[in-house]
Amino acid sequence: MSRPRIVIVGAGFAGYRTARTLARLARGRADITVLNPTDYFLYLPLLPQVAAGILEPRRVTVSLSGTLPQVRLVLGEADGIDLDARTVRYTDPEGNTGSLGYDRLVLAAGSVNKLLPVPGVAEHAHGFRGLPEALYLRDHVTRQVELAAAADDAESRAARCTFVVVGAGYTGTEVAAHGQLFTDAQVRKHPQLKGIRPRWMLLDVADRVLPELDERLSRTADRVLRERGVDVRMGTSVKEATPDGVLLTDGEFVGTRTLVWCVGVRPDPLAASLGLPMERGRLLVEPSLQVPGRPEVFACGDAAAVPDLDKPGGYTPMTAQHAWRQGRVAGRNVAASLSGGELLPYRHKDMGFVVDLGGAQAAANPLGVPLSGPVAGAVTRGYHLAAMPGNRIRVAADWLLDTLLPRQAVQLGLVRSWSVPLESASPELARVPGRPERQQEEPAKQQPEKETHMRPTDSAEKAAQNETGPEESRPRPGVEEARARPGGEAAKNQPGREPAKNQPGGEPARNQPGGEPARNQPGPAPGGLPEEHPAPGPVKRTDAPDPAEGDS
């Protein structure tokens, strides 16, 4: 008799935990396959530390094949699922298509950047959902400081040393907190910038930082940010983004070359493509994580609307904490469904939240006990070390080195601006010439964003506030030259044009997560890249804004 086939789509917090639990319970009696675009599990909560140069990129990744030896890894992105035929169609990194048959399916596809119809945002901002975006942000911030040191006029220097972060939830707060420390240290190394201090702005339409946290922790984070020099503006957001800066909703224009979009995430559109009952883009499931009417299909994490048994009528929020624990229940219930065992409902007890504010500062409330300062910092780092499924010694070593040695402020230029668009169905992958991009229809409405481990829901931009009209139409690949990004560089650093002047690595001086290169269109690439391998153009989205908010 053949062994049952189990396919897990996605290897984020939910998918990775499901695979690990199943491998332990099945003990070789089932064929377990994980379909994922990358060969690693990404520990998202430490991503801001990668962007700030504290941790090396590989420290926050855990090898799937190295930690899941009894699980088969298939590199690729799911294109569609045939529920009747019980097959999953996918495309591998080289553009080849394939399919996987299953007896049990676990959908843990995760989430993507959340967009709002703010003019210019998709063209001039970047998100913060994956490793490529963190690497790009680190290079871009470094480049802006270096360009500011070489600039002749004060206005250009000020714009390049101004960094705007939209979204004061978990991710945006950490990015701004770490970013201020990172740029302050860089400026001290440039005599030409003596007397100039980088300016980080944190914007949100909410009335306080970290609105979903306990007010005491929110006040702690707000105080640390302001004392550090971060310009915190609540009740304010971006009305329009341009190559030279952003127009705020209060009418002020801020010159900047950097726009970081941290207003949240929404469920991967793969869930909506199944044609099953949905709840704001998330697949409705039973407390056992089974899909009603499809007992062979389970869903967990950001892709699933899991009933909150402690709050009748509600659903668990899109957080890494829930995804991690749902993955364990999903693994147990899949194994039980194959052996005729009893399926257990998902229940969760909140363990609290931790927010790393850089240096020795943090805000935390483990088990409901509010903490701040160095004590909270120690608890926060201890929590992350305990929660990580690997690389603990390497992470701890990097933290130790960061306290003893200055950070290396160099830009490697490995990730280009056009490689990390805000509008992408695969934020975990950097775009590369010649690789087909995943194209998928999305739900009519944008969904609430997901939070990372022990994170509260971010306060996202309200749709009503941002009703400034539809996003600007985007040119087709190969049509016109890319626009200059906030970064002040000419759009010449796009594939199909010569490298931008003064840009190390010829990369656009665009930074932060939050936007997609509006016009980074293919053509002959720098260095003689043949036309038959153009850089992919933007992914067209069809979704409308949703008032819900959250943090990636």
Side-chain angles (χ1 to χ4, degrees), residues 35-37 75-79 89-99 435-438:
L35 175 64
N36 198 58
L75 286 177
E77 298 180 80
D79 299 322
R89 301 185 305 276
Y90 69 91
T91 302
D92 71 15
E94 296 183 346
N96 302 312
T97 59
S99 64
R435 188 184 71 204
E437 296 303 320
R438 176 181 170 197

Coordinates of all heavy atoms in Angstrom, one line a residue, residues 35-37 75-79 89-99 435-438:
L35 N 6.3 22.9 -0.6 CA 6.4 23.7 -1.8 C 6.7 25.2 -1.3 O 5.8 25.8 -0.7 CB 5.2 23.7 -2.7 CG 5.2 24.6 -3.9 CD1 6.3 24.2 -4.9 CD2 3.8 24.5 -4.6
N36 N 7.9 25.7 -1.6 CA 8.2 27.1 -1.2 C 9.1 27.8 -2.1 O 10.0 27.1 -2.8 CB 8.9 27.0 0.2 CG 8.9 28.3 1.0 OD1 7.8 28.8 1.2 ND2 10.1 28.8 1.3
P37 N 9.0 29.1 -2.3 CA 9.9 29.8 -3.3 C 11.4 29.8 -2.9 O 12.2 29.9 -3.7 CB 9.3 31.2 -3.3 CG 8.0 31.1 -2.7 CD 8.0 30.0 -1.7
L75 N 11.3 23.6 -4.7 CA 11.4 25.0 -4.9 C 10.4 25.5 -6.0 O 10.5 25.0 -7.1 CB 12.8 25.4 -5.3 CG 13.9 25.3 -4.2 CD1 15.2 25.7 -4.8 CD2 13.5 26.3 -3.1
G76 N 9.5 26.4 -5.7 CA 8.6 26.9 -6.6 C 7.5 27.7 -6.0 O 7.4 27.7 -4.8
E77 N 6.7 28.3 -6.8 CA 5.6 29.1 -6.3 C 4.3 28.5 -6.9 O 4.2 28.2 -8.0 CB 5.7 30.5 -6.8 CG 6.9 31.3 -6.3 CD 7.0 32.7 -6.8 OE1 6.3 33.5 -6.3 OE2 7.7 32.9 -7.8
A78 N 3.3 28.3 -6.0 CA 2.0 27.7 -6.4 C 1.3 28.6 -7.3 O 1.1 29.8 -7.0 CB 1.2 27.4 -5.1
D79 N 0.9 28.1 -8.4 CA 0.1 28.9 -9.4 C -1.4 28.7 -9.3 O -2.2 29.5 -9.7 CB 0.5 28.6 -10.8 CG 2.0 28.9 -11.0 OD1 2.5 29.9 -10.5 OD2 2.7 28.1 -11.7
R89 N -0.5 23.1 -8.8 CA 0.3 23.5 -9.9 C 1.4 24.5 -9.4 O 1.0 25.4 -8.6 CB -0.5 24.1 -11.1 CG -1.5 23.1 -11.6 CD -2.2 23.8 -12.8 NE -2.8 25.1 -12.5 CZ -4.0 25.3 -12.0 NH1 -4.7 24.2 -11.6 NH2 -4.4 26.5 -11.7
Y90 N 2.6 24.4 -9.9 CA 3.6 25.4 -9.5 C 4.6 25.7 -10.6 O 4.6 25.0 -11.6 CB 4.4 24.8 -8.3 CG 5.3 23.6 -8.6 CD1 6.6 23.8 -9.0 CD2 4.8 22.3 -8.6 CE1 7.4 22.7 -9.3 CE2 5.6 21.2 -8.9 CZ 6.9 21.4 -9.2 OH 7.7 20.3 -9.5
T91 N 5.3 26.8 -10.4 CA 6.4 27.2 -11.3 C 7.7 27.2 -10.6 O 7.8 27.9 -9.5 CB 6.1 28.5 -12.0 OG1 4.8 28.5 -12.7 CG2 7.2 28.9 -13.0
D92 N 8.8 26.6 -11.1 CA 10.0 26.6 -10.3 C 10.8 27.8 -10.7 O 10.4 28.6 -11.5 CB 10.8 25.3 -10.6 CG 11.4 25.2 -12.0 OD1 11.4 26.2 -12.7 OD2 11.8 24.1 -12.4
P93 N 12.0 28.1 -10.0 CA 12.7 29.3 -10.2 C 13.2 29.5 -11.7 O 13.6 30.6 -12.1 CB 13.9 29.1 -9.3 CG 13.4 28.2 -8.2 CD 12.5 27.3 -8.9
E94 N 13.3 28.4 -12.5 CA 13.7 28.5 -13.8 C 12.6 28.6 -14.8 O 12.8 28.6 -16.0 CB 14.7 27.3 -14.2 CG 15.9 27.3 -13.3 CD 16.9 26.2 -13.7 OE1 16.4 25.3 -14.4 OE2 18.0 26.2 -13.3
G95 N 11.4 28.7 -14.3 CA 10.2 28.9 -15.2 C 9.6 27.6 -15.6 O 8.6 27.6 -16.4
N96 N 10.1 26.5 -15.2 CA 9.4 25.2 -15.5 C 8.2 25.0 -14.7 O 8.2 25.3 -13.5 CB 10.4 24.0 -15.3 CG 11.7 24.2 -16.1 OD1 11.6 24.5 -17.3 ND2 12.8 24.1 -15.5
T97 N 7.2 24.4 -15.2 CA 6.0 24.1 -14.5 C 5.9 22.6 -14.1 O 6.5 21.8 -14.7 CB 4.7 24.5 -15.3 OG1 4.7 23.7 -16.5 CG2 4.7 25.9 -15.7
G98 N 5.1 22.4 -13.0 CA 5.0 21.1 -12.5 C 3.7 21.0 -11.7 O 3.0 22.0 -11.5
S99 N 3.4 19.8 -11.2 CA 2.3 19.6 -10.3 C 2.6 18.6 -9.3 O 3.4 17.7 -9.5 CB 1.0 19.2 -11.1 OG 1.2 17.9 -11.7
R435 N 13.5 35.6 -15.2 CA 12.6 34.7 -14.4 C 11.2 35.2 -14.5 O 10.9 36.3 -14.2 CB 13.1 34.7 -12.9 CG 12.3 33.6 -12.1 CD 12.7 33.7 -10.7 NE 12.2 34.9 -10.0 CZ 12.7 35.4 -9.0 NH1 13.7 35.0 -8.4 NH2 12.1 36.5 -8.4
P436 N 10.3 34.3 -14.8 CA 8.9 34.7 -14.9 C 8.3 35.1 -13.5 O 8.7 34.5 -12.5 CB 8.2 33.4 -15.4 CG 9.1 32.3 -15.0 CD 10.5 32.8 -15.1
E437 N 7.5 36.1 -13.6 CA 6.9 36.6 -12.3 C 5.5 36.0 -12.1 O 4.8 35.7 -13.0 CB 6.8 38.1 -12.3 CG 8.1 38.8 -12.4 CD 9.0 38.4 -11.3 OE1 8.6 38.3 -10.1 OE2 10.2 38.3 -11.5
R438 N 5.3 35.7 -10.8 CA 4.0 35.1 -10.5 C 2.9 36.2 -10.7 O 2.9 37.2 -10.2 CB 4.0 34.7 -9.0 CG 2.7 34.1 -8.5 CD 2.9 33.8 -7.1 NE 1.7 33.4 -6.4 CZ 1.5 33.4 -5.1 NH1 2.5 33.7 -4.4 NH2 0.4 33.1 -4.6

